[in-house]
Amino acid sequence: RAKAEGRGTYRRYDASMGAQIRDRRMLEHDLRHAVSRGELDLVYQPQTRIDTGAVTGFEALLRWRHPERGPVSPDQFIPIAEETGAILEIGAWVLREACRTASLWPQPLAIAVNVSAVQLHNPHFVQFVHGTLFESGLKAERLEIEITETALIRDPARALLTLRQLKALGVRIAMDDFGTGYSSLSNLRSFPFDRIKIDRSFIKAVHSNPQGAAIVRSVLGLGRGLGLAVVAEGVETDEELSFLAAEHCTLAQGYLMGRPAPIAIFAEYTHGNAQDPVASVA
Ligand code: C2E
Ligand code: MG
Ligand code: MG
Ligand code: MG
């Protein structure tokens, strides 16, 4: 009896595995048509100077409205798009759309775009960025490309070459999710980063455990020492913001200052009549 049950359990498990694989195949398939079917959208999240509260720019974040499933989270579909290569078409759409949108904003506002390892290693990437800037009329200095450390590992020599070429265009480079994954301090020295984005897991820990505050302080010290601006990600509370202000962190991004939303929501900044003078930060 126990044996039969065991086998039944095994079969059920097997069946659910099959369902998972089928589900994933369906997502892979649907993702291939997401761009042409107009199912993708960008939302924008403000980045603000901590000392003045002025908005300095926005990060573009991708959203997929699946016709049957509704919204699918990027954490769910970006890895699939990377594995299937669909990220190349999707990423191209993101960059074009983000640059076109940002080209309508007042001059100093910057746009940050997430770029995956697959895009970074594509031999046409730099030329594509160049062409997109030209088409949109956006100055290269106003585009920031966010990459994670993970994107550097596969082929560090090639990544370095690409980042140098992007820098030569005038584009800024930010290291996203700093402190997670395969962190190595030498990455900060070897690659031409302009900014470090401290991962939100560290910001969350600032008040919940003593190590949290120590880690954030040392990343800020590192940024100062290397001449890199530091962006705190995922700032949700006044306490977190006060801590960051006291520690002279330059920039903050998080639900406290604004959730990612359609750009129309931020018209007071993007239409050039903001009360605060917008200052640009290196
Ligand atoms: P990321 O680049 O680190 O983006 C920050 C994520 O944190 C976003 O999640 C944002 O909505 C979320 N966030 C911002 N402030 C807060 C906060 O105060 N609290 C909390 N709990 N979360 C906050 P989202 O939009 O779900 O994106 C997840 C990840 O998907 C991004 O992480 C990025 O790695 C990837 N992604 C998003 N858009 C794109 C894209 O266009 N291309 C590529 N390659 N990846 C993208
Ligand atoms: Mg990012
Ligand atoms: Mg991040
Ligand atoms: Mg992330």
Side-chain angles (χ1 to χ4, degrees), residues 49 54-57 106 108-109 269 274 276-280:
R49 275 186 72 121
V55 171
T56 61
L109 286 178
Y269 305 108
D276 290 322
V278 180
S280 105

Side-chain angles (χ1 to χ4, degrees), residues 77-108:
F77 72 82
I78 296 280
I80 299 177
E82 285 172 342
E83 279 171 46
T84 62
I87 193 69
L88 289 175
E89 190 195 359
I90 293 172
W93 179 86
V94 168
L95 194 70
R96 275 209 195 93
E97 177 70 14
C99 289
R100 206 165 48 86
T101 302
S103 71
L104 306 172
W105 300 344
Q107 279 294 327

Side-chain angles (χ1 to χ4, degrees), residues 176-177 199 233:
D176 204 353
D177 302 347
D199 191 69
E233 288 196 271

Side-chain angles (χ1 to χ4, degrees), residues 24-130:
R24 167 149 177 150
R25 293 261 156 77
M26 279 163 66
L27 272 184
E28 282 176 12
H29 172 268
D30 295 347
L31 206 44
R32 267 193 267 280
H33 303 286
V35 172
S36 61
R37 291 179 182 163
E39 294 166 1
L40 299 181
D41 262 317
L42 290 180
V43 288
Y44 295 81
Q45 187 176 34
Q47 297 184 333
T48 59
R49 275 186 72 121
I50 294 177
D51 56 358
T52 62
V55 171
T56 61
F58 293 86
E59 178 176 1
L61 293 159
L62 187 57
R63 296 293 177 262
W64 181 22
R65 283 169 292 100
H66 188 280
E68 288 105 37
R69 296 166 197 245
V72 184
S73 148
D75 285 326
Q76 217 185 322
F77 72 82
I78 296 280
I80 299 177
E82 285 172 342
E83 279 171 46
T84 62
I87 193 69
L88 289 175
E89 190 195 359
I90 293 172
W93 179 86
V94 168
L95 194 70
R96 275 209 195 93
E97 177 70 14
C99 289
R100 206 165 48 86
T101 302
S103 71
L104 306 172
W105 300 344
Q107 279 294 327
L109 286 178
I111 178 74
V113 177
N114 293 285
V115 164
S116 82
V118 179
Q119 292 172 274
L120 195 70
H121 289 93
N122 181 278
H124 307 295
F125 184 64
V126 176
Q127 211 192 340
F128 178 73
V129 172
H130 183 69

